[in-house]
């Protein structure tokens, strides 16, 4: 089997007495969409934080694209092709949707110590940014709207377009469906389905319809520990998973 | 198009000011206008990091003072005819002292910024203030250059045969530097570098998430701002023919911040308006009462409360981003 794109080995993170990540081992293989599920407080966001480099693990290692990246900063990991979206959208709110994506395209093109040309009129940046917005399904007429004036669903789409700008080798998606209405959620599922196979993805999601519609493999996180990992059907049938997670979800 | 016409008209009026003042019989106006132009350069330089980059530097007057002292110290060694540190000959040529001041300001800002920018938030505000106070007390204790009393510059620098002692000439020189700096800044803030800087102000986390390590960009902006502020200080030394540690006192840093916030953060012309308002108010109010700051305070509070982009919001669509 080909080497995994992302290999998390024996990751541990403690916050005081709380073990948020407990000996977590996880792999994302080339081309697959790997879903990471688990009840609230299972440590999914903490795990994503360590994989992207915002949180330093206490021990364990992270290999990405054939190299150990455990010691690299968030920005350095992004430059190596590890891109993420946030559970709570992080955008440049004073800038338009197009400017948000253009800046990400600019960042992917190399250093920005260029002081002279007007970046907003640079077709190399804006053309690519428009293409990315189209790819995530944000309508053309919304490109010139300030990020803070976009709807929640549009902001989620915009953040995905930004994450795609560097041409990532892996996408970390932290609850892309959170807070979306049924129609928006369906649209996001379709966008991700279109990306599937081209870019490997690690998807953290509570929306089980989306998870089972999209995932090639599923890992289940409970109290910071991975209790099961496998094909969606196997996960759905696993008694330990039903015990820890799915039954609780049904109870709502 | 209409903006360009109005800007051209404003510039023409600014250029014609010394003649207008003479016609109206108020020659003192030229001196006030010179002060406004010089402070506008300093405030605009602070605006680059404060307004566009969101870096609240509370020690910006240090570079104003360093620029002034560069002119003052070079003059002093020229006068005494003994080289600075035994190697650098003194000079009274603006074509030498002005670039020297810019260099000194840029290098000092690079050094101070390199350390300060490792922090953020309140720590950053305090550490920039602390560095500025260090520079302030260094010059207070430098008895060779007058210490507390400062340094007289008997003759303004020579510059292409112009007489900088003539108020109108000094004014036009300051205005030219101001216009050049605003033009330069207008390009920089719209460039790729400027886009990164505006991103830094809005969300450091977002910048990391698109793969930008922000430190080198913040440091470059900090050094550019310091260099430009030192240029303003060099002009001040020639205008006042006097430099003293007061130029870098922390209240001066506060005044520069007030000018930027009053005029409009992150707008091109805001700091000019802010400088004009503050110097103008000080000039008129101090003529009425010696407690003029008592009147100034509430005016500042009102503007900060009611106008998010300062005085620039009075100009509607020329406000943020279009100035």
């Amino acid at each position: 089997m080909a080497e995994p794109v992302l290999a998390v080995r024996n990751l541990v993170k403690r916050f005081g007495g709380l073990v948020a990540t407990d000996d977590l081992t996880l792999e994302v293989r080339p081309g697959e969409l790997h879903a990471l599920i688990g009840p609230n407080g299972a440590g999914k966001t903490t795990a994503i934080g360590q994989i992207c480099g915002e949180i330093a693990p206490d021990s364990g290692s992270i290999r990405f694209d054939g190299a150990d990246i455990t010691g690299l900063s968030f920005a350095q990991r992004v430059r190596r092709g590890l891109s993420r979206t946030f559970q709570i959208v992080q955008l440049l709110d004073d800038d338009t949707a197009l400017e948000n994506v253009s800046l990400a395209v600019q960042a992917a093109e190399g250093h920005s110590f260029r002081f002279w040309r007007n970046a907003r009129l640079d077709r190399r940046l804006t053309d690519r940014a428009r293409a990315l917005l189209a790819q995530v399904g944000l309508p053309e007429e919304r490109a010139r709207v300030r990020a803070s004036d976009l709807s929640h669903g549009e902001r989620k789409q915009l953040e995905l377009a930004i994450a795609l700008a560097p041409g990532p080798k892996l996408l970390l998606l932290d609850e892309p469906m959170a807070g979306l209405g049924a129609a928006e959620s369906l649209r996001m599922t379709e966008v991700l389905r279109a990306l599937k196979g081209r870019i490997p993805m690690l998807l953290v999601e509570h929306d089980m319809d989306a998870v089972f519609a999209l995932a090639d493999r599923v890992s289940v996180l409970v109290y910071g520990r991975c209790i099961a990992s496998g094909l969606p059907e196997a996960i759905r049938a696993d008694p330990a998973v039903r015990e820890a997670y799915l039954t609780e979800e049904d109870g709502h | 198009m209409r903006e360009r016409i109005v800007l051209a008209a404003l510039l023409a009026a600014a250029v014609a000011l010394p003649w207008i003042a003479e016609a109206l019989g108020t020659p003192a106006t030229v001196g006030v206008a010179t002060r406004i132009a010089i402070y506008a350069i300093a405030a605009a330089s602070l605006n680059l990091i404060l307004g566009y980059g969101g870096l609240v530097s509370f020690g910006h007057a240090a570079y104003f003072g360093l620029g002034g002292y560069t002119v003052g110290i070079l003059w002093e060694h020229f006068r005494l005819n003994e080289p600075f540190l035994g190697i650098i000959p003194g000079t009274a040529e603006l074509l030498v002292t002005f670039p020297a001041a810019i260099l000194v300001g840029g290098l000092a800002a690079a050094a101070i910024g390199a350390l300060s920018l490792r922090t953020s938030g309140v720590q950053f505000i305090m550490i920039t203030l602390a560095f500025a106070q260090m520079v302030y007390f260094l010059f207070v204790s430098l008895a060779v250059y007058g210490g507390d009393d400062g340094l007289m510059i008997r003759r303004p620098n020579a510059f292409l045969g112009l007489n900088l002692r003539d108020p109108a000439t000094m004014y036009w020189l300051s205005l030219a530097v101001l216009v050049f700096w605003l033009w330069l800044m207008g390009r920089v803030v719209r460039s790729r570098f400027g886009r990164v800087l505006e991103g830094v102000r809005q969300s450091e986390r977002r910048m990391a998430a698109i793969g930008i390590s922000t430190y080198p960009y913040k440091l470059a902006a900090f050094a550019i701002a310091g260099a430009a502020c030192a240029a303003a200080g060099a002009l001040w030394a020639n205008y006042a023919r006097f430099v003293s540690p007061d130029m870098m006192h922390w209240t001066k840093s506060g005044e520069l911040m007030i000018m930027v916030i009053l005029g409009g953060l992150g707008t091109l012309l805001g700091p000019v308006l802010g400088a004009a308002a503050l110097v103008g108010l000080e000039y008129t109010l101090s003529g009425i009462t010696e407690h003029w700051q008592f009147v100034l305070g509430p005016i500042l509070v009102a503007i900060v409360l009611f106008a998010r982009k300062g005085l620039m919001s009075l100009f509607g669509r020329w406000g943020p981003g279009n100035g």
Side-chain angles (χ1 to χ4, degrees):
Chain A
M1 193 194 297
E3 194 190 356
V5 186
L6 177 77
V8 175
R9 298 263 177 268
N10 309 107
L11 211 60
V12 177
K13 180 70 191 176
R14 288 185 197 85
F15 294 111
L18 177 79
V19 185
T21 306
D22 186 5
D23 200 28
L24 176 66
T25 293
L26 187 77
E27 274 185 3
V28 180
R29 297 172 191 158
E32 82 169 346
L33 195 155
H34 192 126
L36 185 62
I37 64 172
N40 282 323
K44 302 184 296 288
T45 294
T46 307
I48 291 282
Q50 291 169 86
I51 294 168
C52 82
E54 279 198 304
I55 303 171
D58 295 330
S59 65
S61 73
I62 302 163
R63 281 181 73 78
F64 170 67
D65 195 27
D68 190 315
I69 58 163
T70 319
L72 297 186
S73 75
F74 184 11
Q76 284 171 325
R77 293 180 200 199
V78 175
R79 290 202 289 273
R80 288 194 176 212
L82 203 160
S83 216
R84 76 166 287 183
T85 64
F86 296 88
Q87 188 179 349
I88 297 160
V89 182
Q90 302 286 326
L91 294 169
L92 305 180
D93 280 336
D94 294 346
D95 289 3
T96 65
L98 185 65
E99 287 167 352
N100 266 279
V101 186
S102 294
L103 187 58
V105 174
Q106 173 187 322
E109 269 198 4
H111 73 82
S112 294
F113 284 105
R114 298 179 192 181
F115 297 88
W116 207 241
R117 282 183 57 193
N118 189 328
R120 285 187 180 86
L121 303 180
D122 192 337
R123 291 294 295 271
R124 273 208 320 235
L125 302 180
T126 53
D127 284 354
R128 170 120 176 80
R130 277 180 207 285
L132 285 160
L133 285 173
Q135 195 178 350
V136 299
L138 196 76
E140 177 86 39
E141 68 271 15
R142 303 297 280 167
R144 295 270 176 207
V145 177
R146 271 164 49 120
S148 58
D149 294 336
L150 293 172
S151 75
H152 178 69
E154 289 171 328
R155 286 165 64 84
K156 285 274 189 191
Q157 286 175 298
L158 172 56
E159 199 180 49
L160 182 59
I162 295 170
L164 289 171
K169 294 177 185 146
L170 175 68
L171 265 181
L172 303 174
L173 303 169
D174 195 356
E175 301 203 23
M177 319 287 176
L180 297 189
E184 289 174 322
S185 194
L186 218 58
R187 197 182 319 141
M188 183 61 87
T189 307
E190 286 317 306
V191 171
L192 294 182
R193 198 195 299 281
L195 290 171
K196 201 179 135 170
R198 285 190 283 158
I199 305 171
M201 285 177 261
L202 181 64
L203 169 72
V204 170
E205 189 49 65
H206 271 298
D207 182 337
M208 288 303 128
D209 292 339
V211 165
F212 287 104
L214 288 168
D216 297 309
R217 283 198 305 147
V218 179
S219 291
V220 184
L221 208 61
V222 178
Y223 296 122
R225 184 179 274 275
C226 184
I227 61 160
S229 192
L231 297 173
E233 309 83 67
I235 292 295
R236 222 197 283 254
D238 190 314
V241 175
R242 297 187 74 88
E243 168 81 17
Y245 184 67
L246 293 174
T247 49
E248 188 207 328
E249 275 299 288
D250 292 341
H252 280 300
Chain B
M1 194 60 216
R2 239 181 62 195
E3 286 170 29
R4 278 171 188 249
I5 293 170
V6 175
L7 279 179
L10 273 176
L11 184 61
V15 170
L17 186 124
W19 295 306
I20 299 169
E22 199 177 281
L24 294 176
T26 53
T29 319
V30 180
V32 177
T34 310
R35 287 216 289 282
I36 290 172
I38 293 173
Y39 276 124
I41 299 165
S45 75
L46 176 61
N47 189 35
L48 180 67
I49 49 177
L50 177 63
Y52 290 97
L55 303 168
V56 186
S57 166
F58 198 5
H60 208 59
Y63 315 108
F64 189 65
L66 285 170
Y69 266 100
T70 305
V71 172
I73 289 173
L74 286 173
W75 158 261
E76 187 70 1
H77 287 275
F78 172 74
R79 185 177 71 85
L80 299 172
N81 200 18
E82 54 184 45
F84 176 58
L85 300 176
I87 38 170
I88 303 167
T91 171
E93 281 285 341
L94 191 73
L95 284 175
V96 179
T97 61
F98 195 69
I102 290 174
L103 190 67
V104 168
L107 288 176
I112 291 175
L115 295 167
S116 311
L117 288 166
R118 305 228 169 253
T119 67
S120 62
V122 179
Q123 278 103 331
F124 179 76
I125 301 175
M126 296 324 281
I127 200 167
T128 49
L129 174 62
F131 274 119
Q133 287 299 88
M134 276 168 56
V135 178
Y136 171 78
F137 283 112
L138 172 70
F139 280 92
V140 165
S141 58
L142 268 181
V144 227
Y145 302 120
D148 233 349
D149 298 329
L151 204 59
M152 296 286 289
I153 302 165
R154 210 163 297 280
R155 212 150 25 88
N157 284 172
F159 177 55
L160 305 174
L162 296 174
N163 176 17
L164 296 187
R165 196 183 271 276
D166 170 46
T169 310
M170 188 64 222
Y171 166 72
W172 280 318
L173 173 65
S174 306
L175 183 67
V177 174
L178 172 63
V179 170
F180 176 74
W181 168 242
L182 290 178
W183 172 73
L184 203 65
M185 233 181 83
R187 299 230 39 145
V188 169
V189 298
R190 286 172 174 81
S191 71
R192 291 190 177 203
F193 179 80
R195 296 286 303 124
V196 170
L197 210 53
E198 285 196 71
V200 167
R201 170 176 59 81
Q202 296 179 63
S203 170
E204 288 261 3
R205 197 175 187 202
R206 173 34 70 202
M207 296 312 278
I210 60 172
I212 291 181
S213 306
T214 55
Y215 181 78
Y217 298 99
K218 291 193 279 192
L219 184 56
F222 203 84
I224 294 170
C229 194
L235 287 174
W236 183 268
N238 278 289
Y239 162 75
R241 273 172 273 135
F242 174 66
V243 291
S244 79
D246 271 349
M247 284 177 80
M248 43 184 109
H249 196 251
W250 68 272
T251 54
K252 192 65 79 184
S253 296
E255 271 176 45
L256 293 178
M257 279 173 92
I258 290 172
M259 287 174 191
V260 176
I261 296 164
L262 184 65
L265 281 165
T267 61
L268 213 48
L269 292 180
V272 183
L273 274 180
L278 202 68
V279 175
L281 279 175
E282 180 181 344
Y283 183 71
T284 30
L285 292 179
S286 63
I288 302 167
T289 164
E290 66 175 293
H291 305 294
W292 59 274
Q293 286 178 324
F294 190 75
V295 186
L296 181 68
I299 295 177
L300 286 180
V301 171
I303 287 171
V304 171
L305 278 182
F306 297 114
R308 212 170 61 85
K309 282 283 176 183
L311 293 172
M312 280 308 277
S313 25
L314 300 177
F315 294 84
R317 60 198 204 87
W318 294 344
N322 301 317

